[in-house]
Every structure is written in structure tokens, then in C-alpha cells.
Amino acid sequence: MSAMTVKGKVKEISSTKTVSDKFEYIDLILTTDQKYNPDICIQFSNKSIDKLQGIKVGYYVSCAINLISRNSKGRWFSNISGWDIEVLDESDANDLHHEMADQGENDELPF
């Protein structure tokens, strides 16, 4: 499987949450160009938290992610784990902004 990325505008950055002395994380909420349910939560943990230095709400970014699923007692839980982030340059951000604006033009449901 190739590396997965997701692009969007930073909507929110949580404070650091400490679970134990070996695990802490920050939730980064991105608004993507998806028409339905555009907001996604990407979790940056431990050493990956350092990648968020300088990232601010409103920035257009591209995040390298892994999808992680676990089975616990017959129930599946999934998580989006971020391991790198890059601020998009102005032309990339404008392209993404136009894609996101175009999504709102046709509000018909696909079903």
C-alpha cells in the first residue's frame, strides 16, 4: 500500500492529552473537500506531535496518515494516525479552496 495523504484546512488543534507516561496525543481537525462529513480528526501522537509545531488554525495542509483498526471483544475500532504534515503553498491552497467551494454548489443528496 502506498502512503496515504489527506488535504484540508485546519479547523481545530486540541491541547495535548496525556494517557500515560508513554503515550500522549493531539487531535487535529481538518475540513476536507468532501461534500458530506468533510471534517475529520487526525491523531498525532508521541514523537509525531513535534510535526505540529508552527501549524495554526486556518492553514491549508497535507497530512501523511495511516489508518489503524483494532478488534476488541468482537468490536472494531478505527483511528486516523498522522505522522507528517506539510503546509501547502499558496497555489495548492487556492486549488483546494476552489475544490471545497465547488462542493457546496450542488446540495442534492447522491441517494
Side-chain angles (χ1 to χ4, degrees):
M1 176 185 285
S2 62
M4 292 189 289
T5 60
V6 63
K7 294 179 183 178
K9 183 178 180 179
V10 177
K11 181 177 183 176
E12 182 181 328
I13 303 170
S14 76
S15 58
T16 302
K17 297 176 178 96
T18 303
V19 176
S20 70
D21 60 341
K22 295 182 181 182
F23 185 74
E24 61 184 1
Y25 66 95
I26 292 177
D27 289 329
L28 176 79
I29 311 301
L30 282 189
T31 299
T32 67
D33 64 349
Q34 298 299 307
K35 185 172 183 176
Y36 301 102
N37 302 315
D39 293 342
I40 62 168
C41 178
I42 301 170
Q43 191 177 84
F44 283 79
S45 59
N46 296 336
K47 291 183 180 182
S48 295
I49 290 174
D50 294 341
K51 301 284 185 168
L52 297 175
Q53 291 292 335
I55 302 296
K56 296 185 187 316
V57 171
Y59 281 15
Y60 288 92
V61 298
S62 176
C63 291
I65 62 169
N66 290 327
L67 300 178
I68 299 168
S69 294
R70 295 175 195 85
N71 186 313
S72 176
K73 300 179 184 175
R75 184 167 177 201
W76 284 93
F77 297 90
S78 297
N79 185 35
I80 303 172
S81 177
W83 53 271
D84 200 8
I85 188 168
E86 174 184 346
V87 176
L88 298 175
D89 66 29
E90 192 171 318
S91 63
D92 289 336
N94 286 335
D95 290 343
L96 180 63
H97 179 69
H98 291 301
E99 289 173 24
M100 292 170 73
D102 291 344
Q103 293 292 326
E105 291 180 6
N106 182 1
D107 288 337
E108 292 183 31
L109 296 174
F111 48 89

